[in-house]
Amino acid sequence: MMARKYRLGIMRKAANVLVTAFLERGIPIAGSTGWLLTTRGRRSGADRTTPVNVVEVGGDRWLVSPYGQVGWVHNLRVDATARLWRGRRRETWEVEEADAATAGPVLRAYVRKIPVTAPFFDAKLTDPAEAFAVEADRHPVFRLARSRV
């Protein structure tokens, strides 16, 4: 069975609006590690904000794109500054994109922590990290490298 393709349909847009409203007010979503990520648009230069989950693996914090090569991924590749916020809490980070070998364990941990994303992966929850590493080109991973307070 092949992984589902991500489509930003009306239901997902509505869910993003709802999640964003909660996170703007600092209200956590049950079972979530949610933040709002603001990046600089690679073409427009305008700020772009989207809800994301941040996971901790191996003592580092990571941004994972379970839905593939989405806009914020392209933006971070051009300007490696991630502004994370939730309510009044604000963090600014320089990010580094992980190679496949590094991304494998992070992707595995991400899918286990946020299983709603599992259908977008070919690897299954029980597969080893190496199976997730094979998918790293389809699910970019960024380490929150240096805080820029």
Side-chain angles (χ1 to χ4, degrees):
M1 195 160 95
M2 283 208 34
R4 284 191 353 206
K5 289 231 184 231
Y6 175 73
R7 303 238 191 287
L8 186 60
I10 192 160
M11 292 303 290
R12 196 164 302 270
K13 283 181 185 178
N16 281 350
V17 167
L18 185 63
V19 168
T20 297
F22 278 104
L23 293 173
E24 284 176 338
R25 289 160 184 78
I27 302 169
I29 308 300
S32 168
T33 55
W35 288 84
L36 293 171
L37 168 67
T38 300
T39 59
R40 180 176 301 135
R42 65 195 173 279
R43 290 183 289 220
S44 69
D47 283 349
R48 303 291 182 203
T49 300
T50 190
V52 296
N53 286 293
V54 176
V55 294
E56 190 169 322
V57 178
D60 287 317
R61 294 172 66 203
W62 303 86
L63 284 171
V64 172
S65 181
Y67 308 121
Q69 307 286 336
V70 293
W72 66 261
V73 169
H74 298 293
N75 293 344
L76 284 179
R77 286 177 174 156
V78 172
D79 178 359
T81 301
R83 290 174 284 154
L84 295 170
W85 58 286
R86 178 174 53 206
R88 294 183 184 174
R89 186 171 176 187
R90 304 276 195 262
E91 299 178 0
T92 301
W93 293 85
E94 289 180 29
V95 299
E96 297 172 348
E97 190 164 3
D99 61 22
T102 304
V106 176
L107 290 170
R108 183 176 187 233
Y110 186 92
V111 171
R112 286 181 167 183
K113 176 98 177 147
I114 305 158
V116 70
T117 62
F120 298 95
F121 289 80
D122 288 327
K124 303 300 172 228
L125 290 172
T126 55
D127 287 346
E130 294 78 21
F132 285 90
V134 171
E135 298 190 55
D137 62 327
R138 290 194 339 245
H139 304 285
V141 174
F142 296 86
R143 182 171 69 90
L144 299 179
R146 286 174 292 285
S147 177
R148 296 178 54 201
V149 180

